[in-house]
Amino acid sequence: NEPFDFDKRIDRSGTWSIKYGRATNGEIPLWIADMDFETDPFVKAALQARIDRDVLGYTNIPPEFYDAIAGWQKNYYGYQVEREWINYVPGVITGMNQAYLTFTQPGDKIIVQPPVYDHFKLYIERLGRVAVDNPCGIHWERETLVQLADICHRHGVIVVSDEIHADLTLYGVKHVPFCSVSEAAARVGLIFAGPTKSFNLAGLTGTAYCLIPNQELRERYMATLENCKMEEASITTIVATIAAYRNDMRWLEALKHYIEGNVQRARDFFAEHQMGMTVFRPGASFLLWIDCRSLEMPQTDLMNRFKDGAKVILSNGASYGPGGEGFVRMNLGCPTSLLDEALDRIVREFGK
């Protein structure tokens, strides 16, 4: 087996890191969703080889880009997609925003399921649309997705599915692409995805794609992108996507195993140290949702205790909408030694 060193501590100072830019007073930043691991060496080598070609001129998106995505969907998810369904988008959130502009008008209502990533609601409202909260916590099994697709198809509702974390399913959980579950889902669904979370490429802004089986929706959507000149990918985006999705998956599988270890370490820690916090085992990705409601502490005070008292920066659960108050989110995509240091700081502050 390839010896991938996820324990290696990497100095990210001087790299203009958003994550570490907030840690100005010795804090450990475990908030924004990028990881502290070295990039997959296969992807890194592909990027380096392309840069070594010296000229970085205007570049077409080659057939290999679409083939790599289609192959990944088939091999990783068992989803057979057609080439014409696939198109480049300049980032998942940017791509979703263009969908709102394509299929809605100012004042229209868009359903979100809080607590959820705060940028969904942020940009819906910035674009003059109305974010409608669905207060039900739903576990998206295949049967649930089928029912959702049927309801939406009957009522003429388009489903925008953010599947950017889908490659990082843990504990044998199998991701089900939304558009794959039924004919109705294929008619109403738009999938947005990419390798940025799973292969830790968040700084390569615009490394994403959309899958739209419905020809009418696809043509309307792509017209919006083309009218804004947003359908052209950068060299780094093309190279990184092809390399990630044509990889043999060893790095990704090793990464997921390492994340599972960090999840278990954190769960054991919070179970052992009774601080009024409970954690949920995630089915995917490297983000741990921590319930601090029993502390009965105002959210601002809670966040200040973590940042100024424990010197650990976490994401504020309240920022994710109704249902997020009293929660924090911890990024476990880091060397275990750094996680241990953060957990020790937390127990010193909250275990008093």
Side-chain angles (χ1 to χ4, degrees):
N1 291 333
E2 187 84 27
F4 303 115
D5 187 7
F6 298 108
D7 287 322
K8 182 179 179 180
R9 300 275 285 263
I10 299 171
D11 180 10
R12 296 182 65 179
S13 62
T15 64
W16 311 303
S17 164
I18 292 175
K19 183 179 187 179
Y20 280 81
R22 189 174 289 187
T24 58
N25 196 27
E27 301 96 342
I28 297 175
L30 300 179
W31 62 290
I32 198 170
D34 76 10
M35 297 182 285
D36 290 333
F37 305 127
E38 283 188 353
T39 301
D40 178 346
F42 189 84
V43 176
K44 189 162 63 172
L47 288 166
Q48 188 63 59
R50 180 61 185 84
I51 290 170
D52 288 345
R53 293 291 300 272
D54 297 330
V55 177
L56 302 177
Y58 292 121
T59 303
N60 288 316
I61 301 177
E64 292 90 336
F65 176 85
Y66 304 100
D67 293 344
I69 293 168
W72 186 262
Q73 287 286 329
K74 181 179 180 181
N75 297 331
Y76 217 61
Y77 305 127
Y79 185 26
Q80 184 73 50
V81 303
E82 302 297 329
R83 153 66 189 89
E84 60 266 22
W85 300 356
I86 306 167
N87 283 286
Y88 164 77
V89 292
V92 164
I93 295 300
T94 305
M96 293 171 67
N97 291 345
Q98 295 303 308
Y100 307 149
L101 291 172
T102 303
F103 302 112
T104 67
Q105 299 296 321
D108 284 355
K109 296 179 179 179
I110 299 173
I111 299 172
V112 295
Q113 291 85 28
V116 72
Y117 183 49
D118 52 325
H119 282 200
F120 292 167
K121 187 172 183 178
L122 171 67
Y123 288 105
I124 288 170
E125 293 177 345
R126 280 187 181 179
L127 294 171
R129 277 65 174 169
V130 178
V132 182
D133 293 339
N134 177 349
C136 302
I138 299 173
H139 184 208
W140 301 105
E141 300 284 359
R142 176 182 289 273
E143 294 73 19
T144 304
L145 295 175
V146 170
Q147 293 174 18
L148 173 67
D150 288 343
I151 293 168
C152 291
H153 186 250
R154 287 200 306 272
H155 293 279
V157 175
I158 293 170
V159 177
V160 176
S161 181
D162 173 5
E163 302 187 9
I164 192 66
H165 288 272
D167 298 340
L168 288 169
T169 48
L170 307 174
Y171 307 107
V173 172
K174 190 72 173 176
H175 170 68
V176 181
F178 176 75
C179 294
S180 72
V181 301
S182 67
E183 288 186 18
R187 292 192 192 103
V188 302
L190 293 79
I191 290 174
F192 292 88
T196 50
K197 296 302 181 188
S198 47
F199 289 89
N200 205 29
L201 304 171
L204 296 185
T205 300
T207 304
Y209 64 90
C210 62
L211 281 175
I212 310 176
N214 183 314
Q215 182 178 353
E216 183 205 350
L217 296 183
R218 185 170 65 247
E219 290 177 353
R220 289 174 61 190
Y221 178 76
M222 289 310 298
T224 300
L225 285 189
E226 290 163 6
N227 289 341
C228 298
K229 197 173 169 53
M230 299 178 74
E231 81 285 10
E232 299 174 356
S234 71
I235 292 172
T236 53
T237 284
I238 295 166
V239 171
T241 300
I242 294 170
Y245 288 154
R246 285 190 164 177
N247 205 337
D248 60 12
M249 304 184 191
R250 282 183 299 169
W251 184 88
L252 181 58
E253 292 304 313
L255 168 69
K256 289 162 66 169
H257 180 73
Y258 194 89
I259 291 171
E260 289 173 354
N262 276 357
V263 169
Q264 192 58 50
R265 203 173 190 92
R267 293 182 73 209
D268 290 345
F269 176 88
F270 285 106
E272 176 186 351
H273 299 280
Q274 298 295 318
M275 298 179 290
M277 304 178 194
T278 56
V279 301
F280 300 86
R281 192 182 83 165
S285 202
F286 48 90
L287 304 171
L288 193 69
W289 193 239
I290 304 174
D291 185 349
C292 305
R293 288 176 296 178
S294 68
L295 296 177
E296 298 182 345
M297 191 180 300
Q299 192 75 16
T300 301
D301 295 347
L302 177 66
M303 299 310 299
N304 288 339
R305 284 280 301 275
F306 276 109
K307 184 177 187 295
D308 301 326
K311 297 289 187 182
V312 177
I313 303 176
L314 305 180
S315 294
N316 186 344
S319 69
Y320 302 121
E325 302 89 349
F327 292 83
V328 295
R329 192 189 75 176
M330 175 183 282
N331 181 340
L332 303 182
C334 64
T336 303
S337 62
L338 186 65
L339 173 61
D340 286 344
E341 189 177 332
L343 293 174
D344 287 342
R345 292 184 182 192
I346 290 170
V347 76
R348 285 201 300 270
E349 174 64 23
F350 287 92
K352 297 174 181 176

